Amino acid sequence: AWQLDQLTDKYMDAVTSFIYGMSMMFFSMMAWMFWRKGSERLFRLIMLLMLIADAQCLKDLVLFYYKGFDSTEGWYFTSAVDMFIIPFYSFVLMELVKPGWTTWTKAVMLELPFVLLPLLFLISGANIYFYILSVWGAVYGVTTFVVLFFLIRRYHRQLKERFSYQENINLSWLLAILGSFFLILIIWTLSCFVIDGGFDNLYMVCSLAIWMFICYFVNRHESVIDELKGVEAAHAEAAPQESEEEKQGLATEVQRLFEVEKIYLNPRLKLSDVAHMVGTNRTYLSRYFNQENGSTFYDFVNNYRLRYAENLLRNSESSILEISEKSGFNSLSTFRRVFSSAYGCSPNEFRNAL
C-alpha cells in the first residue's frame, strides 16, 4: 500500500509538472504573439494577462516542489495571490465588447480588493480575509458574466449600425466563452477550498483550453475601435436637426451611390466610407438609415446585395460561390444565411425552383 501511494504521488507530480509546463509554454507564446500584433489596448491587455498567468504558473511550480501545499494556510495564501488575475479577465472581455473602456483608474479601483485582502490575510493570518476574497471573486465573476451577456447584444447592434459585414468582428463566439468561464469559476472556487492537486490540475487544463480558444478568435478579430468610438461620441457631437432640403439631398446622394455606383458590391463597406462619399458625418447618416429608412446600415446594404444576387441567380450560370462574391458578401456562409432569412430558402433551392 505504501509503495502504491508512492507511485501514485509520483504519477500526480509528473502530471502536474506536464500541465504547468505546457501552460507556461502556451502563455509565453501568446504574450509574444500579442506583443507582435501591435499597441492596441486589447492586445496589450492580453499580453499582460498572459505574462501574469505565466508568472503565477512559475510561482506555483516552484512552491510545489520546494515547499508543497500540505498546509491549509499555504494553500489559501497561494490561492489568494492567484486571485489578482481575476480582474484582468474582465478587462480583456470588456475591451472586446466596449473598445476603449479600460482605463488606469478603472483598473486600479477594480484590482484594489484583490491586492488589499491578500495583504491583510498575509499580515494577520486570519482565514476570514481569504473567505471574503473568495466570495468577492465569485460575485465579481458572476457580475461580469451578466454584464457582458447584455453588452455583447448591444455591441452587435452597434456593428449593424456601422458595418455591412460581420466576419471577424462579431462576438458570437464570446457567448460560448462566457459559459465556459462560468464553469471555470465554479471549478476554481472549489479548488481554492479543496486541498487537492487533482482539482488544481482540472482547473489548469480547462483554463488552458479556454484560452487557446479565445486567443484563436482574438487573433482573427478585426479592430473596430475607430468605428465604435464614433458610436459612443455620437451623442456628444454637435448635430443640429437637418432641414427638409438637407434630408432630401442626403437621400438623393445615398440613392445615387447605391443605385448607380453600386457601392454595396464592396464587401468591406462601412458607414464611415459612405459618410465620406456623401460629405456628411456618421451621426447624420446613421440617423438617416435608422429613422428615415427604418433599417440598420447592415440591413440596408445587404438588401441591395440580395437583390443583385437574385438577379444573378435568375439570369446567369455562375456558381453560388461566384454569385456570393460578385454580390459583395464577405463569405459564402454569410450569403446563405442572409439569403435564407430573407427568402425562406437557400440560394440553390431558389434557383432550382425557377
Side-chain angles (χ1 to χ4, degrees):
W2 178 81
Q3 289 180 336
L4 181 61
D5 288 341
Q6 289 290 314
L7 287 173
T8 302
D9 289 342
K10 287 183 178 179
Y11 173 75
M12 287 300 297
D13 289 350
V15 170
T16 300
S17 299
F18 174 76
I19 291 173
Y20 272 82
M22 185 170 58
S23 298
M24 289 175 64
M25 181 174 65
F26 171 76
F27 292 139
S28 298
M29 289 174 58
M30 291 303 101
W32 178 81
M33 185 183 77
F34 283 102
W35 174 73
R36 290 288 301 271
K37 278 189 71 71
S39 59
E40 187 176 318
R41 190 176 304 174
L42 173 63
F43 301 144
R44 288 293 183 250
L45 280 171
I46 296 178
M47 180 194 73
L48 185 57
L49 178 59
M50 295 294 99
L51 289 174
I52 293 172
D54 208 3
Q56 288 184 341
C57 286
L58 179 60
K59 177 261 299 176
D60 289 346
L61 205 55
V62 170
L63 290 177
F64 176 75
Y65 276 105
Y66 285 95
K67 290 191 175 180
F69 295 125
D70 295 330
S71 69
T72 302
E73 290 74 16
W75 184 273
Y76 281 2
F77 179 69
T78 302
S79 299
V81 172
D82 287 344
M83 290 185 205
F84 175 80
I85 203 173
I86 291 177
F88 279 89
Y89 285 90
S90 66
F91 298 159
V92 170
L93 296 173
M94 286 297 294
E95 199 62 30
L96 275 167
V97 299
K98 201 171 181 183
W101 179 86
T102 309
T103 63
W104 280 108
T105 301
K106 290 176 182 175
V108 170
M109 293 299 294
L110 292 172
E111 275 290 358
L112 207 55
F114 294 95
V115 174
L116 292 179
L117 287 169
L119 283 175
L120 290 172
F121 176 58
L122 175 63
I123 294 169
S124 67
N127 289 344
I128 184 63
Y129 292 113
F130 174 75
Y131 300 146
I132 294 172
L133 179 60
S134 300
V135 171
W136 174 245
V139 170
Y140 185 98
V142 172
T143 303
T144 300
F145 175 86
V146 174
V147 169
L148 283 168
F149 180 81
F150 290 103
L151 285 180
I152 289 173
R153 299 177 65 184
R154 175 175 174 268
Y155 171 88
H156 284 154
R157 286 197 301 270
Q158 291 178 345
L159 288 185
K160 286 194 169 187
E161 292 176 359
R162 299 282 164 160
F163 294 85
S164 68
Y165 60 95
Q166 292 198 344
E167 285 79 10
N168 295 332
I169 60 174
N170 75 63
L171 293 175
S172 298
W173 55 272
L174 195 57
L175 291 171
I177 291 295
L178 284 178
S180 301
F181 265 133
F182 194 69
L183 176 62
I184 289 291
L185 181 65
I186 295 174
I187 296 173
W188 170 80
T189 303
L190 289 173
S191 71
C192 287
F193 291 96
V194 179
I195 305 177
D196 188 320
F199 261 106
D200 193 57
N201 288 341
L202 176 63
Y203 164 72
M204 290 298 298
V205 170
C206 291
S207 180
L208 184 61
I210 294 259
W211 272 111
M212 287 179 178
F213 190 66
I214 290 177
C215 288
Y216 169 76
F217 280 101
V218 172
N219 187 50
R220 296 175 53 194
H221 190 68
E222 177 187 328
S223 176
V224 296
I225 188 168
D226 291 335
E227 291 290 326
L228 294 193
K229 272 185 175 178
V231 174
E232 298 297 330
H235 297 294
E237 287 186 31
Q241 290 294 319
E242 310 98 308
S243 64
E244 288 301 321
E245 184 178 347
E246 289 173 326
K247 289 180 181 179
Q248 187 58 43
L250 177 63
T252 301
E253 183 60 16
V254 169
Q255 184 178 14
R256 185 190 69 80
L257 288 171
F258 280 84
E259 298 284 352
V260 179
E261 297 192 19
K262 294 182 172 57
I263 61 172
Y264 56 85
L265 297 181
N266 173 11
R268 309 287 293 175
L269 188 67
K270 300 189 291 290
L271 183 74
S272 58
D273 299 329
V274 182
H276 179 73
M277 296 175 193
V278 173
T280 186
N281 63 47
R282 289 176 292 181
T283 305
Y284 277 155
L285 197 57
S286 182
R287 184 185 301 160
Y288 167 76
F289 287 115
N290 291 327
Q291 296 180 6
E292 302 299 326
N293 280 284
S295 67
T296 63
F297 176 68
Y298 175 86
D299 293 329
F300 184 87
V301 175
N302 281 294
N303 282 336
Y304 271 94
R305 289 172 176 166
L306 284 173
R307 290 204 295 270
Y308 192 88
E310 180 187 343
N311 182 60
L312 291 177
L313 286 168
R314 291 180 181 277
N315 303 300
S316 79
E317 297 298 322
S318 299
S319 68
I320 301 301
L321 176 60
E322 290 172 333
I323 290 175
S324 169
E325 293 172 346
K326 290 178 180 178
S327 303
F329 288 96
N330 247 353
S331 68
L332 179 58
S333 61
T334 298
F335 172 52
R336 284 174 171 162
R337 185 179 66 252
V338 174
F339 192 94
S340 297
S341 177
Y343 290 86
C345 62
S346 70
N348 274 323
E349 290 171 339
F350 181 88
R351 172 177 269 176
N352 293 334
L354 294 176

